[in-house]
Amino acid sequence: MRIKELAEATGVDVDTIRYYEKQGLLPEPARQDNGYRDYASTHLERLAFIRHCRALEMPLADIRRLLGALDAPGEPHPDVDRLVQEQIDKVRARLKSMRALEKQLLLLKASCGRCDDESTDCGILKELVAAAHGEACACHAHLAH
């Protein structure tokens, strides 16, 4: 199949496929007489694997290691479990950070008061301007303690 067909079959952009080839994540495809790349089902499988790993937000370096393990089926692969655990740890850290961000935004929103057409005094804007001037703001007040 041609690169466009591979892209359509996997949902991966053509430029991304070329990038993965340059990075050595996808093997070079055979070439037709006219110079077009000729992808096989193995490319489709491998690209689907990479796409799934990317959907799990794994970095390309980790995907490269996973592909190495995949390419050596008879060997032990202690790295695989560790890589997935590290990814879980990263996700948990991001979740913690996102919960903190949500808390800050809720505190900021609580400073709103009443914003309607008659009021030009917006609590949220006041807080954001105060923070921009280096002053304490509602959304970061809990960090001062």
Side-chain angles (χ1 to χ4, degrees), residues 64-120:
R64 184 182 316 282
R65 296 208 313 285
L66 292 172
L67 288 168
L70 196 62
D71 291 340
E75 298 176 23
H77 305 292
D79 269 7
V80 172
D81 184 58
R82 185 180 51 77
L83 288 174
V84 171
Q85 185 58 54
E86 287 172 2
Q87 190 63 17
I88 291 168
D89 294 343
K90 288 176 194 174
V91 168
R92 286 181 176 155
R94 282 192 13 233
L95 286 170
K96 183 178 178 183
S97 175
M98 293 303 289
R99 283 191 289 274
L101 178 60
E102 178 188 33
K103 228 182 225 183
Q104 289 175 303
L105 288 168
L106 288 170
L107 287 168
L108 184 61
K109 179 145 175 44
S111 70
C112 180
R114 201 182 114 149
C115 293
D116 54 27
D117 290 338
E118 296 171 16
S119 175
T120 58

